[in-house]
């Protein structure tokens, strides 16, 4: 039996375990909590940057190139976005610790890849979580390299 893995792309992976087997409601709750964390922690990132990241994920284009393009259009905002992305990573560390505690009693026998896929699927379907989904998807790809 493995701990239920909660991947926070930009930040870290959170392992969760217990006697309670994870179900769809657990995945939905975790996805909602992750989305809330990212939304609160990313308020300093411009909508243009968030939209570029989301569009890049949807189109399957290079996310780094999309981010660079946004930064080049407005250097001042671009620098603020770069700092906000760094801050996002720091803020998500605290948030991931809180989520780890919250879901400490949830177990799964599924593989890490299956857990990631379920969370991604749940996030993709949630309105207002497009940015979180794009970041998670990017992180999942990086983990497989």
């Amino acid at each position: 039996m493995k701990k239920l893995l909660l991947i926070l792309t930009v930040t870290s992976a959170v392992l969760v375990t217990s006697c309670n087997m994870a179900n769809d409601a657990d995945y939905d709750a975790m996805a909602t909590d992750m989305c809330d964390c990212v939304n609160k922690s990313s308020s300093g990132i411009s909508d243009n940057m968030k939209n570029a990241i989301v569009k890049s994920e949807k189109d399957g284009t290079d996310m780094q190139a999309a981010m660079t393009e946004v930064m080049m259009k407005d250097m001042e905002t671009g620098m603020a976005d770069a700092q906000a992305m760094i801050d996002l990573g720091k803020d998500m560390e605290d948030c991931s610790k809180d989520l780890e505690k919250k879901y400490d009693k949830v177990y799964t026998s599924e593989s890490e890849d299956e857990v990631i896929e379920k969370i991604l699927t749940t996030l993709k379907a949630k309105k207002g979580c497009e940015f979180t989904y794009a970041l998670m998807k990017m992180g999942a790809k990086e983990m497989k390299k």
Side-chain angles (χ1 to χ4, degrees):
M1 188 177 297
K2 295 180 184 146
K3 292 183 175 189
L4 184 57
L5 185 62
L6 177 63
I7 304 300
L8 295 171
T9 354
V10 175
T11 61
S12 62
V14 178
L15 291 176
V16 193
T17 313
S18 165
C19 297
N20 302 320
M21 291 302 287
N23 59 33
D24 289 343
D26 292 316
Y27 283 103
D28 187 64
M30 283 189 287
T32 297
D33 288 343
M34 289 170 56
C35 185
D36 289 346
C37 281
V38 170
N39 288 342
K40 288 174 189 170
S41 300
S42 65
S43 62
I45 301 171
S46 72
D47 287 341
N48 285 340
M49 182 62 76
K50 288 178 185 177
N51 291 336
I53 291 170
V54 169
K55 185 178 183 323
S56 174
E57 183 283 317
K58 285 181 181 178
D59 295 346
T61 57
D62 182 70
M63 200 170 288
Q64 191 66 40
M67 292 169 64
T68 301
E69 184 178 328
V70 171
M71 293 176 85
M72 297 306 287
K73 287 181 182 175
D74 180 350
M75 292 298 279
E76 188 174 327
T77 302
M79 295 305 292
D81 282 337
Q83 183 59 51
M85 292 291 282
I86 292 167
D87 293 343
L88 172 65
K90 292 175 186 173
D91 291 345
M92 290 304 298
E93 286 179 33
D94 292 336
C95 193
S96 65
K97 288 176 187 172
D98 292 342
L99 291 177
E100 185 175 2
K101 288 177 192 171
K102 182 174 181 177
Y103 294 102
D104 189 42
K105 304 291 185 215
V106 181
Y107 284 97
T108 186
S109 58
E110 297 165 318
S111 72
E112 183 176 306
D113 287 343
E114 290 170 320
V115 170
I116 292 168
E117 198 54 43
K118 280 189 174 186
I119 290 175
L120 284 171
T121 299
T122 304
L123 277 171
K124 188 173 185 175
K126 288 191 168 296
K127 185 170 175 57
C129 295
E130 297 82 3
F131 183 62
T132 304
Y133 173 77
L135 292 177
M136 291 285 296
K137 183 95 180 214
M138 178 180 66
K141 285 179 187 176
E142 289 300 313
M143 287 178 59
K144 290 184 180 187
K145 287 184 178 179

PDB file of all heavy atoms in Angstrom, residues 17 22 31 41 50 52 75 90 101 109:
ATOM      1  N   THR A  17      -0.524   9.181   3.499  1.00  0.00           N
ATOM      2  CA  THR A  17      -0.864   7.785   3.763  1.00  0.00           C
ATOM      3  C   THR A  17      -1.841   7.607   4.915  1.00  0.00           C
ATOM      4  O   THR A  17      -1.915   8.444   5.755  1.00  0.00           O
ATOM      5  CB  THR A  17       0.390   6.994   4.132  1.00  0.00           C
ATOM      6  OG1 THR A  17       1.392   7.311   3.220  1.00  0.00           O
ATOM      7  CG2 THR A  17       0.148   5.530   4.094  1.00  0.00           C
ATOM      8  N   ALA A  22      -8.136   6.036  -0.712  1.00  0.00           N
ATOM      9  CA  ALA A  22      -8.543   7.223  -1.459  1.00  0.00           C
ATOM     10  C   ALA A  22      -9.693   6.892  -2.403  1.00  0.00           C
ATOM     11  O   ALA A  22      -9.715   5.836  -3.020  1.00  0.00           O
ATOM     12  CB  ALA A  22      -7.361   7.770  -2.245  1.00  0.00           C
ATOM     13  N   ALA A  31      -7.608  18.188  -5.279  1.00  0.00           N
ATOM     14  CA  ALA A  31      -7.478  19.069  -6.445  1.00  0.00           C
ATOM     15  C   ALA A  31      -7.993  20.469  -6.112  1.00  0.00           C
ATOM     16  O   ALA A  31      -7.356  21.469  -6.467  1.00  0.00           O
ATOM     17  CB  ALA A  31      -8.229  18.478  -7.637  1.00  0.00           C
ATOM     18  N   SER A  41      -1.528  31.853  -4.027  1.00  0.00           N
ATOM     19  CA  SER A  41      -0.088  32.092  -4.077  1.00  0.00           C
ATOM     20  C   SER A  41       0.370  32.758  -5.371  1.00  0.00           C
ATOM     21  O   SER A  41       1.492  33.252  -5.444  1.00  0.00           O
ATOM     22  CB  SER A  41       0.670  30.771  -3.904  1.00  0.00           C
ATOM     23  OG  SER A  41       0.349  30.175  -2.673  1.00  0.00           O
ATOM     24  N   LYS A  50      -0.135  34.182 -16.865  1.00  0.00           N
ATOM     25  CA  LYS A  50      -0.939  32.985 -16.580  1.00  0.00           C
ATOM     26  C   LYS A  50      -1.586  32.459 -17.861  1.00  0.00           C
ATOM     27  O   LYS A  50      -1.553  31.252 -18.129  1.00  0.00           O
ATOM     28  CB  LYS A  50      -2.026  33.301 -15.545  1.00  0.00           C
ATOM     29  CG  LYS A  50      -1.503  33.506 -14.150  1.00  0.00           C
ATOM     30  CD  LYS A  50      -2.651  33.851 -13.209  1.00  0.00           C
ATOM     31  CE  LYS A  50      -2.163  34.186 -11.824  1.00  0.00           C
ATOM     32  NZ  LYS A  50      -3.278  34.582 -10.932  1.00  0.00           N
ATOM     33  N   ALA A  52      -0.598  32.884 -20.930  1.00  0.00           N
ATOM     34  CA  ALA A  52       0.435  32.330 -21.823  1.00  0.00           C
ATOM     35  C   ALA A  52       0.800  30.909 -21.401  1.00  0.00           C
ATOM     36  O   ALA A  52       0.980  30.027 -22.248  1.00  0.00           O
ATOM     37  CB  ALA A  52       1.667  33.228 -21.824  1.00  0.00           C
ATOM     38  N   MET A  75       8.911  44.491 -20.257  1.00  0.00           N
ATOM     39  CA  MET A  75      10.006  44.058 -19.386  1.00  0.00           C
ATOM     40  C   MET A  75       9.711  44.294 -17.903  1.00  0.00           C
ATOM     41  O   MET A  75      10.041  43.467 -17.064  1.00  0.00           O
ATOM     42  CB  MET A  75      11.312  44.750 -19.781  1.00  0.00           C
ATOM     43  CG  MET A  75      11.837  44.318 -21.133  1.00  0.00           C
ATOM     44  SD  MET A  75      12.246  42.562 -21.188  1.00  0.00           S
ATOM     45  CE  MET A  75      13.848  42.595 -20.437  1.00  0.00           C
ATOM     46  N   LYS A  90       7.969  29.418  -3.275  1.00  0.00           N
ATOM     47  CA  LYS A  90       8.152  29.517  -1.823  1.00  0.00           C
ATOM     48  C   LYS A  90       6.824  29.359  -1.088  1.00  0.00           C
ATOM     49  O   LYS A  90       6.729  28.645  -0.096  1.00  0.00           O
ATOM     50  CB  LYS A  90       8.791  30.863  -1.465  1.00  0.00           C
ATOM     51  CG  LYS A  90      10.216  31.006  -1.936  1.00  0.00           C
ATOM     52  CD  LYS A  90      10.741  32.412  -1.657  1.00  0.00           C
ATOM     53  CE  LYS A  90      12.111  32.621  -2.259  1.00  0.00           C
ATOM     54  NZ  LYS A  90      12.547  34.022  -2.138  1.00  0.00           N
ATOM     55  N   LYS A 101      -0.404  17.502   5.886  1.00  0.00           N
ATOM     56  CA  LYS A 101      -1.038  17.235   7.191  1.00  0.00           C
ATOM     57  C   LYS A 101      -2.510  16.882   7.005  1.00  0.00           C
ATOM     58  O   LYS A 101      -3.017  15.950   7.626  1.00  0.00           O
ATOM     59  CB  LYS A 101      -0.909  18.461   8.101  1.00  0.00           C
ATOM     60  CG  LYS A 101       0.480  18.697   8.615  1.00  0.00           C
ATOM     61  CD  LYS A 101       0.532  19.967   9.453  1.00  0.00           C
ATOM     62  CE  LYS A 101       1.961  20.375   9.737  1.00  0.00           C
ATOM     63  NZ  LYS A 101       2.047  21.700  10.354  1.00  0.00           N
ATOM     64  N   SER A 109      -3.323   2.279  -3.253  1.00  0.00           N
ATOM     65  CA  SER A 109      -2.460   1.218  -3.769  1.00  0.00           C
ATOM     66  C   SER A 109      -2.052   1.530  -5.204  1.00  0.00           C
ATOM     67  O   SER A 109      -1.346   0.758  -5.839  1.00  0.00           O
ATOM     68  CB  SER A 109      -3.180  -0.129  -3.699  1.00  0.00           C
ATOM     69  OG  SER A 109      -4.378  -0.073  -4.438  1.00  0.00           O
TER      70      SER A 109
END
